[in-house]
């Protein structure tokens, strides 16, 4: 049985996938909700949200992600960061996955990756779970009926959580596998129910394709001033640093919360929805995101809830600290209708510093911006990756190493050139700890202070402020900002023992210096001069 709308020239059978019992093409939210409930994939929550569990995989599995070693990409893939899979092994994996699918029911979504029609990618996502189809329908751009009737997939993703990979047979690491073939334009995902693997696979593809078109792919959120898309700000950051929270500013128009491109004409969202962390979410601090958790068809992942009332518990992280909700962009009242903005005026690099030594905001020179972009310092937050249970200081180049198929210098050079060409202001913002390290007297940076500092930076309110040069990290830090306690701007003063702060700050400086040695042969003298020096 087949239902839904599809280009008759590009059915699954026309694409070489046959023997399925039921195929549902491009169903809408209501139909997918109905299928998910009938198939016991989840439960209806308050307001018609869908409550689901992803099982043992409550985050991404980056060590199980592979790129097929094919002739056309062998010289351009960053193999140290993207473990190779041999073409023969991928062929066996593909054949075995198609055999696994025989007689099953599958859901197909034909979607766009990218809001700019000039650069968008046609992606077909085939899923074993109805709620995965709903999830990716939220996450990517949805064609209209006319576009669907003529849709020609460029890349296809097949996601079968019930399929278990065999490392000996498939050339992978475990029963979980995410394998990308750029020549066959095919992604195979098996052995994990974590829906985020779907959207991050599309991001990885775009990260490979777009640099050849002089487009900077970015792991960032973005917004612009209300009524002025030319006043655009982008927020780089790994999961847990605040990209979604800080870009959903009621005083600015949201372009998107996670993945964007920077072309010669402006900024555009890759996605059509948001994937927000819900741990400790509150109506007071984040009203726009909080409201989506009781809207129809919002996908609620891995949250504890009352079985009778279906009331969500935003504080109980017993399933995972990486509890999330996925919803369409238009669920946010101030979201852009086009998901496009102008050329960035401000770049914010978000870091979650578990050491508690970085200031809440610092201004970066262009050379310092490239340095911190290549460094990508943050702390991995519990739950965002399998096995992470405490904040772990880490360096993830380009603020998204797991999704970067090319060497980081490719993206760094693109960013450097675009900053120079357009005169962009660059800021480093710490959303992590202050007053001490995590678990050693420190507390999380107050979100109200972060918002006040960002408002000042984006509005030009810091232009006439006095700055000091940080003696450990070399960047410029404002001495005072209206509405923010002065002590927060000088992190050493927030520690009970200044000598303890000095030791921890130098420890972090040494980590920066050690990490950056891998890039020294690829950067100019200005970036080397801007590098943080160990004591």
């Amino acid at each position: 049985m087949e239902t839904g709308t599809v280009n008759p020239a590009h059915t699954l059978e026309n694409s070489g996938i046959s023997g399925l019992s039921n195929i549902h093409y491009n169903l809408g939210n209501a139909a997918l909700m109905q299928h998910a409930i009938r198939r016991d994939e989840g439960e209806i929550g308050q307001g018609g949200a869908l409550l689901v569990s992803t099982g043992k995989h409550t985050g991404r599995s980056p060590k199980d992600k592979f790129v097929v070693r094919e002739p056309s990409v062998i010289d351009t893939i960053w193999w140290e960061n993207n473990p190779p899979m041999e073409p023969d092994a991928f062929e066996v994996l593909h054949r075995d996955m198609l055999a696994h699918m025989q007689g099953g029911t599958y859901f197909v979504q034909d979607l766009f990756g990218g809001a700019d029609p000039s650069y968008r990618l046609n992606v077909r996502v085939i899923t074993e779970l109805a709620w995965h189809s709903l999830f990716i329908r939220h996450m990517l751009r949805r064609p209209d009926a006319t576009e669907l009737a003529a849709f020609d997939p460029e890349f296809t993703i097949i996601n079968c959580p019930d399929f278990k990979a065999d490392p000996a047979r498939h050339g992978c690491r475990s029963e979980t596998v995410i394998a990308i073939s750029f020549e066959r334009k095919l992604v195979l995902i098996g052995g994990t129910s974590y829906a985020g693997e779907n959207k991050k696979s599309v991001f990885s593809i775009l990260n490979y394709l777009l640099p050849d078109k002089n487009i900077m792919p970015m792991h960032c959120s973005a917004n612009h001033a209300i009524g002025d898309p030319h006043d655009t700000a982008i927020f780089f950051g790994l999961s847990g640093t605040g990209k979604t929270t800080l870009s959903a500013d009621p005083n600015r128009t949201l372009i998107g919360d996670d993945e964007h491109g920077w072309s010669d004409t402006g900024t555009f969202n890759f996605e059509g929805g948001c994937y927000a962390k819900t741990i400790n979410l509150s109506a007071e601090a984040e009203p726009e995101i909080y409201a989506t958790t009781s809207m129809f068809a919002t996908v609620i992942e891995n949250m504890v809830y009352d079985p009778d009332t279906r009331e969500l518990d935003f504080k109980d992280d017993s399933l995972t600290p990486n509890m999330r909700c996925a919803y369409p962009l238009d669920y946010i009242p101030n979201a852009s209708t086009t998901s496009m903005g102008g050329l960035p005026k401000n770049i914010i690099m978000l870091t979650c510093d578990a050491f508690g030594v970085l200031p809440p905001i610092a201004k970066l020179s262009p050379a310092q911006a490239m340095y911190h972009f290549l460094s990508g310092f943050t702390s991995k937050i519990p739950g965002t990756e399998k096995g992470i249970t405490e904040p772990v200081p880490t360096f993830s180049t380009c603020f998204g190493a797991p999704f970067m198929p090319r060497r980081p210098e490719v993206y760094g050079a693109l960013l450097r050139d675009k900053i120079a060409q357009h005169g962009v202001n660059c800021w480093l913002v710490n959303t992590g700890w202050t007053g001490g390290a995590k678990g050693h007297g420190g507390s999380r940076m107050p979100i109200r202070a972060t918002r006040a500092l960002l408002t000042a930076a984006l509005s030009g309110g810091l232009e006439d402020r006095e700055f000091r040069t940080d003696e450990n990290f070399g960047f410029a830090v404002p001495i005072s900002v209206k509405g923010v306690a002065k002590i927060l701007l000088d992190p050493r003063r927030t520690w009970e023992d200044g000598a303890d702060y000095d030791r921890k700050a130098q420890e972090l400086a040494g980590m920066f210096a050690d990490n950056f040695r891998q890039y020294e042969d690829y950067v100019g003298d200005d970036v080397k001069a801007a590098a943080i020096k160990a004591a």
Side-chain angles (χ1 to χ4, degrees):
M1 183 182 69
E2 294 186 2
T3 65
T5 302
V6 65
N7 180 349
H10 292 287
T11 64
L12 290 193
E13 190 164 358
N14 291 340
S15 303
I17 300 176
S18 59
L20 308 185
S21 64
N22 300 290
I23 306 171
H24 302 291
Y25 291 102
N26 298 303
L27 299 186
N29 293 356
L32 289 170
M33 288 281 291
Q34 194 169 26
H35 278 287
I37 296 303
R38 283 177 174 172
R39 290 156 54 93
D40 292 324
E41 294 178 7
E43 295 188 309
I44 294 289
Q46 292 189 355
L50 181 65
L51 309 176
V52 299
S53 168
T54 63
K56 67 178 182 179
H57 291 273
T58 57
R60 291 179 293 102
S61 299
K63 294 180 180 179
D64 293 306
K65 181 179 175 182
F66 300 85
V67 173
V68 181
R69 192 198 298 271
E70 296 161 318
S72 64
V73 302
I74 199 164
D75 294 328
T76 51
I77 295 294
W78 181 21
W79 294 111
E80 295 88 348
N81 186 61
N82 296 271
M85 176 178 284
E86 295 306 318
D88 289 348
F90 184 82
E91 173 58 31
V92 174
L93 175 65
H94 184 212
R95 190 166 59 243
D96 288 353
M97 190 170 284
L98 292 182
H100 164 85
M101 296 169 69
Q102 294 297 295
T105 295
Y106 284 83
F107 300 85
V108 180
Q109 290 289 329
D110 293 325
L111 301 160
F112 298 132
D116 189 330
S118 299
Y119 305 113
R120 70 190 182 194
L121 181 73
N122 290 8
V123 181
R124 167 166 284 177
V125 185
I126 304 167
T127 62
E128 207 166 48
L129 296 172
W131 81 261
H132 272 198
S133 195
L134 179 63
F135 171 92
I136 201 64
R137 178 177 165 80
H138 290 341
M139 287 295 99
L140 295 184
R141 313 287 305 174
R142 296 165 290 281
D144 60 29
T146 301
E147 291 169 327
L148 273 181
F151 194 92
D152 182 1
E154 297 174 73
F155 269 79
T156 297
I157 297 172
I158 302 176
N159 190 327
C160 299
D162 286 342
F163 176 84
K164 307 302 181 187
D166 180 347
R169 181 173 172 82
H170 301 130
C172 53
R173 191 187 71 99
S174 73
E175 66 180 20
T176 299
V177 65
I178 304 99
I180 302 175
S181 168
F182 284 102
E183 286 193 359
R184 299 182 64 169
K185 298 185 176 181
L186 179 64
V187 181
L188 304 177
I189 303 174
T192 172
S193 295
Y194 184 66
E197 300 289 10
N198 295 290
K199 83 185 209 84
K200 288 306 184 186
S201 294
V202 176
F203 187 35
S204 296
I205 293 166
L206 290 169
N207 279 344
Y208 183 77
L209 299 177
L210 291 180
D212 283 342
K213 300 178 181 180
N214 196 37
I215 295 171
M216 176 69 187
M218 303 175 292
H219 188 209
C220 71
S221 57
N223 63 26
H224 66 70
I226 294 175
D228 184 7
H230 297 291
D231 184 1
T232 292
I234 57 179
F235 301 75
F236 285 108
L238 290 169
S239 296
T241 55
K243 293 193 313 300
T244 299
T245 297
L246 295 172
S247 57
D249 184 337
N251 299 309
R252 293 176 66 86
T253 298
L254 177 67
I255 300 172
D257 83 323
D258 199 30
E259 299 160 3
H260 293 78
W262 179 354
S263 71
D264 291 334
T265 56
T267 308
F268 62 96
N269 192 355
F270 290 167
E271 300 184 304
C274 299
Y275 193 30
K277 289 174 71 73
T278 56
I279 186 169
N280 296 323
L281 189 67
S282 72
E284 295 73 30
E286 300 164 87
E288 293 81 14
I289 299 173
Y290 185 88
T292 70
T293 62
S294 58
M295 291 184 178
F296 180 73
T298 290
V299 177
I300 307 290
E301 279 185 354
N302 300 320
M303 287 193 69
V304 175
Y305 56 89
D306 186 294
D308 297 322
T309 66
R310 307 293 168 86
E311 182 178 355
L312 300 172
D313 189 333
F314 293 91
K315 298 185 183 301
D316 189 338
D317 64 355
S318 57
L319 294 177
T320 175
N322 195 36
M323 57 181 78
R324 289 179 179 266
C325 62
Y327 50 88
L329 266 172
D330 58 17
Y331 280 16
I332 300 294
N334 61 325
S336 167
T337 56
T338 65
S339 292
M340 297 174 66
L343 296 167
K345 185 176 178 181
N346 286 278
I347 290 176
I348 314 296
M349 296 185 183
L350 299 170
T351 182
C352 176
D353 172 26
F355 284 111
V357 297
L358 293 180
I361 194 167
K363 187 166 187 179
L364 305 176
S365 69
Q368 287 173 326
M370 183 173 176
Y371 174 86
H372 282 278
F373 181 72
L374 289 176
S375 298
F377 169 71
T378 191
S379 301
K380 291 181 181 179
I381 299 300
T384 54
E385 289 184 13
K386 187 179 178 182
I388 301 297
T389 58
E390 288 291 329
V392 178
T394 188
F395 292 86
S396 184
T397 188
C398 308
F399 293 98
F403 325 118
M404 301 299 165
R406 297 177 183 265
R407 279 203 60 85
E409 299 82 22
V410 173
Y411 307 104
L414 265 174
L415 183 69
R416 175 200 62 207
D417 293 346
K418 289 184 179 294
I419 288 173
Q421 181 181 356
H422 302 294
V424 184
N425 294 315
C426 300
W427 310 88
L428 183 71
V429 171
N430 173 24
T431 61
W433 276 259
T434 184
K438 196 270 181 188
H440 298 277
S443 58
R444 198 74 191 258
M445 195 71 69
I447 190 171
R448 290 188 178 182
T450 301
R451 287 195 182 278
L453 290 166
L454 283 173
T455 297
L458 300 184
S459 66
L462 297 184
E463 291 179 1
D464 60 350
R465 292 287 167 174
E466 183 181 358
F467 287 76
R468 65 176 178 84
T469 299
D470 189 280
E471 61 182 12
N472 293 296
F473 304 105
F475 39 50
V477 181
I479 293 175
S480 65
V481 177
K482 185 178 179 181
V484 179
K486 289 185 69 173
I487 191 172
L488 274 181
L489 296 167
D490 186 355
R492 190 177 191 274
R493 291 178 56 203
T494 67
W495 284 54
E496 288 188 10
D497 188 328
D500 285 345
Y501 169 86
D502 294 336
R503 284 190 291 271
K504 191 59 71 174
Q506 277 304 303
E507 181 182 347
L508 179 55
M511 292 176 66
F512 267 102
D514 290 343
N515 174 74
F516 199 72
R517 290 191 182 97
Q518 62 185 306
Y519 306 119
E520 287 179 344
D521 293 340
Y522 301 94
V523 299
D525 291 339
D526 58 336
V527 179
K528 292 178 184 177
I532 294 171
K533 310 297 191 297

